[in-house]
Amino acid sequence: MSGGLRVWQASGGARSGEGVALEDSQDRGVSPGAGPGQRTAPCKGHGKGARGSADLEGACGAGTGPCGGFLDGALSRPRAWVWMYCRLYRKLERFRSPELLDSAKAGGEFLLRYARVAPPGKKCAFVLTRDGRPVKVQRTIFSECFYTMAMNELWRVTGEAHYQKEAVEMMDQIVYWVREDPSGLGRPRLPGALASESMAVPMMLLNLVDQLGEADEELAGNYAELGDWCAQRILRHVQRDGQAVLENVSEDGEELSGCLGRHQNPGHALEAGWFLLRYAIRKGDPKLQAHVINKFLLLPFRSGWDPDHGGLFYFQDADGLCPTQLEWAMKLWWPHSEAMIAFLMGYSDSGDPALLHLFYQVAEYTFRQFRDPEYGEWFGYLNQEGKVALTIKGGPFKGCFHVPRCLAMCEEMLGALLSRLALAPSPGSSPGSPPAVPHARQGAK
């Protein structure tokens, strides 16, 4: 039994079969075609043959391979799954198989050869055909950010210097686009458009600072100023006297007018929250840690959790008006994945039982509503009532990233908590008596 499952069962999560969620997810929560269990070449399992499905868009797992069944076998987000395979190989011993590493390396070499649209330029395609032809390019930095993550992780698991060289060079290009000249992204600045700053940009840069600086003092030092800049830019999105996290602000860090300025994304705020928590922990700044928990974890959750049906709304309007996005009331897989990471990280750092309670609340909803108990993997798109709205399990945005990253990180954090509990003496125990694992939900109650 895994440490994660023991914590879950000790906390009362085992009722009605929900206690198997964290461990069972390793076997059925992420399908062999979608993520860490897959040990095939990058495009094997594409299209109608994937997992034996008779219907490319049916519920029994089709479209879950790295190709996602998207655009007749095109690859979307290949950088994310290369990063994920490497991360699992490096962090979790049971995934340390030569087949998984070979798949990651094959994916990495595919990216080196085909990801960039017009070499030696650095702009990467968002979607590629199976034979490497670009299908779609986004005029943002995000494809390049995932490319950087993939190359850095490949370097970490292989030791091959050319991967790290690619990662650092792409990082330099991204920083140039963000802080000096964005024209290379191909997005014209139109005279009628509001000058705005999305929280996603400093978020992703801060994540890259964390990625490249891990156990690398030289790079961590090189990017220290950039990390500070990113954190301050994210913190400017706390607006209205600390009562709202807004997705977009002006270039001066002020609230924008109209629906763009009122736009909120609870899942994004929670993801930014755990990025900032890691930053604050690295800096040794307990005051910032407390601020992040209050403003980026608790505040978005309180406004974003649906009191009638459970789950996090996808989008919200800060004034309570109807959001303009058609999917605003839907429940998507990734905000819930990020919420689980955020609350468990917050609890691990602070010991606040209220955060543990929120982790359980999100996890119970997530495993009950998103996970497919029959065929494995998670559905990605639910309606407001929590019923499956789209039966596809992979596509241009849902790939091998948020789900396995969430499960792997939660397993690591739960394992660390169990180790701490095992070392801590029980209240009233005599020296030498075996430590007892306390009832984890007791404090949350």
Side-chain angles (χ1 to χ4, degrees):
M1 182 185 295
S2 74
L5 180 57
R6 286 199 296 271
V7 167
W8 185 269
Q9 289 181 330
S11 69
R15 59 187 182 278
S16 303
E18 291 173 7
V20 302
L22 285 175
E23 174 142 310
D24 190 48
S25 64
Q26 297 156 10
D27 302 319
R28 300 186 57 79
V30 180
S31 75
Q38 181 171 4
R39 295 185 178 138
T40 60
C43 277
K44 220 168 178 181
H46 72 281
K48 292 191 178 181
R51 300 196 63 221
S53 173
D55 177 4
L56 179 64
E57 295 170 352
C60 53
T64 56
C67 303
F70 176 61
L71 292 180
D72 193 23
L75 287 115
S76 62
R77 307 199 75 187
R79 295 151 287 267
W81 67 259
V82 170
W83 178 86
M84 195 69 247
Y85 281 22
C86 293
R87 193 78 166 187
L88 290 170
Y89 181 90
R90 182 164 70 94
K91 291 286 190 177
L92 297 176
E93 187 173 353
R94 69 179 182 280
F95 288 103
R96 209 158 291 154
S97 71
E99 295 89 353
L100 194 65
L101 181 58
D102 287 346
S103 288
K105 290 175 68 175
E109 292 302 316
F110 181 89
L111 291 174
L112 284 173
R113 186 172 181 181
Y114 296 117
R116 287 174 290 179
V117 177
K122 298 293 188 183
K123 198 74 191 80
C124 291
F126 176 62
V127 180
L128 297 162
T129 62
R130 292 176 60 212
D131 59 0
R133 289 171 294 139
V135 174
K136 181 179 180 180
V137 175
Q138 290 185 319
R139 294 178 293 180
T140 64
I141 63 169
F142 306 121
S143 293
E144 294 74 25
C145 287
F146 281 103
Y147 181 92
T148 303
M149 292 165 61
M151 292 298 141
N152 180 256
E153 274 298 326
L154 276 166
W155 168 70
R156 292 178 184 278
V157 297
T158 66
E160 296 180 22
H162 69 289
Y163 293 129
Q164 179 69 338
K165 182 174 181 289
E166 282 288 322
V168 173
E169 288 181 358
M170 186 63 83
M171 179 68 166
D172 292 343
Q173 177 65 78
I174 294 167
V175 174
Y176 178 79
W177 282 331
V178 171
R179 300 187 71 176
E180 296 187 44
D181 182 7
S183 61
L185 295 172
R187 174 174 289 182
R189 186 140 188 180
L190 302 175
L194 279 174
S196 64
E197 179 178 282
S198 165
M199 188 164 63
V201 171
M203 270 180 64
M204 281 300 297
L205 271 181
L206 184 60
N207 185 50
L208 290 183
V209 169
D210 183 67
Q211 170 76 41
L212 271 66
E214 181 189 347
D216 190 325
E217 290 187 11
E218 181 180 354
L219 277 183
N222 291 345
Y223 295 129
E225 183 275 333
L226 177 62
D228 295 341
W229 181 87
C230 293
Q232 291 305 314
R233 290 278 172 156
I234 298 169
L235 291 167
R236 299 196 312 179
H237 288 259
V238 180
Q239 295 285 325
R240 302 191 174 193
D241 295 323
Q243 297 307 303
V245 178
L246 302 179
E247 188 70 11
N248 304 293
V249 295
S250 73
E251 292 179 333
D252 297 325
E254 302 296 330
E255 181 173 345
L256 296 165
S257 62
C259 58
L260 181 68
R262 301 193 305 270
H263 177 53
Q264 292 181 289
N265 184 331
H268 228 191
L270 285 156
E271 186 177 16
W274 71 260
F275 289 0
L276 284 169
L277 268 181
R278 278 189 159 179
Y279 168 81
I281 292 167
R282 287 198 308 271
K283 300 286 283 188
D285 189 340
K287 184 177 179 181
L288 178 58
Q289 290 167 238
H291 177 75
V292 169
I293 287 172
N294 279 327
K295 303 304 181 185
F296 285 87
L297 272 61
L298 297 176
L299 187 62
F301 183 82
R302 287 171 185 147
S303 67
W305 189 260
D306 184 344
D308 298 319
H309 304 287
L312 289 163
F313 288 113
Y314 195 29
F315 296 126
Q316 290 187 292
D317 182 285
D319 286 343
L321 303 174
C322 180
T324 58
Q325 295 83 5
L326 300 180
E327 71 274 30
W328 72 269
M330 292 181 71
K331 314 295 170 59
L332 272 66
W333 83 103
W334 71 261
H336 297 79
S337 300
E338 301 311 314
M340 287 171 61
I341 296 170
F343 288 124
L344 193 55
M345 187 180 294
Y347 172 72
S348 299
D349 178 58
S350 70
D352 183 351
L355 298 174
L356 183 63
H357 172 79
L358 292 175
F359 166 73
Y360 289 131
Q361 183 177 336
V362 176
E364 287 174 350
Y365 176 90
T366 300
F367 286 113
R368 183 178 67 247
Q369 301 300 129
F370 287 99
R371 191 172 64 99
D372 183 348
E374 184 175 2
Y375 293 106
E377 240 287 355
W378 290 12
F379 295 107
Y381 303 87
L382 312 179
N383 64 18
Q384 184 174 353
E385 290 73 30
K387 297 177 181 179
V388 175
L390 301 177
T391 57
I392 57 171
K393 291 176 181 171
F397 298 101
K398 185 178 183 293
C400 179
F401 183 62
H402 286 283
V403 175
R405 180 175 75 167
C406 166
L407 298 177
M409 290 184 67
C410 287
E411 180 176 322
E412 285 187 89
M413 288 186 282
L414 288 166
L417 285 169
L418 274 176
S419 297
R420 282 157 51 183
L421 288 170
L423 293 173
S426 308
S429 62
S430 59
S433 62
V437 177
H439 196 286
R441 195 183 283 273
Q442 184 177 1
K445 286 182 178 178

